[in-house]
Amino acid sequence: MAGVSNMFANLHLRRLDWSFRVYVKRIFEYRFSGSEGFTLEMVLQDSEGVRVYASIPKALVNRWVGVIKEFKMYQMSFFIVVEKKHYIRFTNTRYTLLFSHMTQVVPVQEPSFPLDVFKFKSFPDLLSAEQVDESEMFDIMGEVVGKEEPREVLTSKGVRVRMVVVLEDLGNNRLCCVFFGPLSNFDVSGMHINPELKVVEEFRHILMAGETSTGVRITQVQGQSGIFGGQELKKGNTYVSSDATNPHDSLALRQVHRIK
């Protein structure tokens, strides 16, 4: 299959010798409650912008963990194609690719199409929206201007560490985000602090163009504030699954979902 690339739009169940040239838009570990080990999950995107969910079973994780990286292009070949599970709502095809012992992954040193990393939504659109499609995967970007100290909260999954941050966009609109430790249905969410990407560099350049002070920009906020905690979750505040506890300067948040 060398030199041949199929497209996700043509996926079906009746063959194994698929070969795709794709970017890895998201990669994360999925740990099942009460069991050891984990699977490695990915969101892949081809040159037409079609996203497909891919999964590496526990038996093969050690072969690929640390080898496949986000934002990199690969030629990936030989998959088992299955129907997508109902809980996978953030890809726009009906299938999932399963890695097998035959699957081959080769890094592409000279990408043949540009990386479309983010699908941004503006703060005003999110703040004014009555509801958000749960199947939609989108991103936000802003500067961290306030944060609450991490603390433990009791959820349906047990005790989890929670931290609240306040993000501000270039129009001085603010959005409150609640960060939790890993939660099973939200592992696809993630964050990147000052990643070396063009869109983030442009944001930071505009942000800092009018800066007159080099002092600390992040302020400490109290959890009792009206824009934090359980009240905001009930209102439908944005949620990002993350283990981060030290936000800095500008921040790009991946795959953000709203909690109803």
Side-chain angles (χ1 to χ4, degrees), residues 90 177 189:
F90 39 83
C177 292
S189 297

Side-chain angles (χ1 to χ4, degrees), residues 120 123 140-147 164-177 179 192-194 200 203-219 247-253:
F120 286 114
F123 285 20
I140 63 174
M141 180 163 59
E143 179 188 16
V144 178
V145 294
K147 73 180 184 72
V164 179
V165 299
V166 181
L167 296 182
E168 185 173 276
D169 65 10
L170 296 174
N172 298 320
N173 300 295
R174 292 194 172 190
L175 190 65
C176 177
C177 292
F179 291 78
H192 298 274
I193 300 172
N194 293 334
V200 180
F203 176 91
R204 187 160 56 239
H205 175 74
I206 297 173
L207 177 70
M208 304 305 293
E211 181 62 34
T212 58
S213 172
T214 59
V216 177
R217 300 175 64 87
I218 302 175
T219 60
H248 303 286
D249 290 339
S250 56
L251 174 69
L253 299 178

Side-chain angles (χ1 to χ4, degrees), residues 47-249:
S47 62
E48 295 180 341
V50 179
R51 299 190 307 270
V52 164
Y53 194 85
S55 180
I56 302 177
K58 289 189 291 184
L60 299 177
V61 163
N62 288 338
R63 176 182 175 186
W64 298 112
V65 67
V67 176
I68 303 174
K69 302 181 182 297
E70 282 187 337
F71 304 156
K72 300 296 184 181
M73 179 181 283
Y74 299 90
Q75 190 78 29
M76 298 186 175
S77 307
F78 299 103
F79 295 94
I80 301 171
V81 183
V82 299
E83 294 281 352
K84 184 172 65 177
K85 300 296 184 181
H86 67 87
Y87 56 80
I88 301 173
R89 300 179 176 180
F90 39 83
T91 58
N92 47 8
T93 60
R94 58 178 289 190
Y95 300 112
T96 290
L97 300 177
L98 296 183
F99 277 56
S100 73
H101 291 282
M102 295 179 59
T103 302
Q104 300 175 8
V105 178
V106 179
V108 176
Q109 302 301 326
E110 297 184 5
S112 55
F113 57 91
L115 170 61
D116 179 20
V117 182
F118 301 112
K119 181 182 178 183
F120 286 114
K121 278 189 174 292
S122 71
F123 285 20
D125 285 346
L126 289 172
L127 292 169
S128 63
E130 294 184 0
Q131 62 181 10
V132 175
D133 182 0
E134 292 184 358
S135 66
E136 184 179 7
M137 183 172 69
F138 60 88
D139 313 291
I140 63 174
M141 180 163 59
E143 179 188 16
V144 178
V145 294
K147 73 180 184 72
E148 176 187 313
E149 285 299 325
R151 60 178 176 172
E152 293 183 346
V153 294
L154 181 63
T155 71
S156 60
K157 299 292 183 179
V159 177
R160 295 289 187 267
V161 176
R162 187 201 75 181
M163 182 180 73
V164 179
V165 299
V166 181
L167 296 182
E168 185 173 276
D169 65 10
L170 296 174
N172 298 320
N173 300 295
R174 292 194 172 190
L175 190 65
C176 177
C177 292
V178 183
F179 291 78
F180 286 95
L183 296 177
S184 59
N185 291 330
F186 298 99
D187 287 335
V188 70
S189 297
M191 56 160 266
H192 298 274
I193 300 172
N194 293 334
E196 295 181 359
L197 297 169
K198 181 179 180 181
V199 63
V200 180
E201 292 290 344
E202 291 175 350
F203 176 91
R204 187 160 56 239
H205 175 74
I206 297 173
L207 177 70
M208 304 305 293
E211 181 62 34
T212 58
S213 172
T214 59
V216 177
R217 300 175 64 87
I218 302 175
T219 60
Q220 195 70 25
V221 294
Q222 299 298 320
Q224 290 78 10
S225 172
I227 64 171
F228 302 109
Q231 291 182 351
E232 194 64 18
L233 288 175
K234 293 178 182 179
K235 293 177 183 177
N237 191 22
T238 54
Y239 163 90
V240 181
S241 173
S242 171
D243 292 322
T245 57
N246 295 297
H248 303 286
D249 290 339

